[in-house]
Amino acid sequence: MTLATLLLHGDDAKLELLYFVASVLLALTPLAIFGTIGVLVVRKIWKERRDDKAAEQRSMRNAEMRN
């Protein structure tokens, strides 16, 4: 901004609050999006591991019953 623009800009508290809220939302939006993606991926990995362990235990029980 030029000096003239800075000097003409008044102290508008509502506009400054709006700029502040916009900057906070701009910073938090990517965090929320990537955080959600990360949580979903971790939950999917845990579910797959749990399912794999359960399938392995079932197959071990079936093998023991055949003997």
Side-chain angles (χ1 to χ4, degrees):
M1 292 163 78
T2 64
L3 182 59
T5 307
L6 288 173
L7 292 175
L8 291 175
H9 178 66
D11 291 328
D12 189 6
K14 290 181 181 178
L15 190 59
E16 288 180 10
L17 178 62
L18 179 67
Y19 285 152
F20 174 74
V21 170
S23 67
V24 168
L25 289 175
L26 190 64
L28 291 181
T29 301
L31 291 175
I33 292 170
F34 290 120
T36 302
I37 291 171
V39 167
L40 292 173
V41 167
V42 168
R43 287 176 63 190
K44 179 80 171 176
I45 290 171
W46 284 343
K47 184 179 182 297
E48 288 179 0
R49 285 185 182 176
R50 195 171 1 136
D51 291 345
D52 288 346
K53 285 181 183 179
E56 183 179 329
Q57 288 175 354
R58 280 194 302 269
S59 67
M60 291 177 104
R61 276 188 251 136
N62 289 340
E64 288 175 355
M65 288 182 167
R66 290 180 187 166
N67 290 332

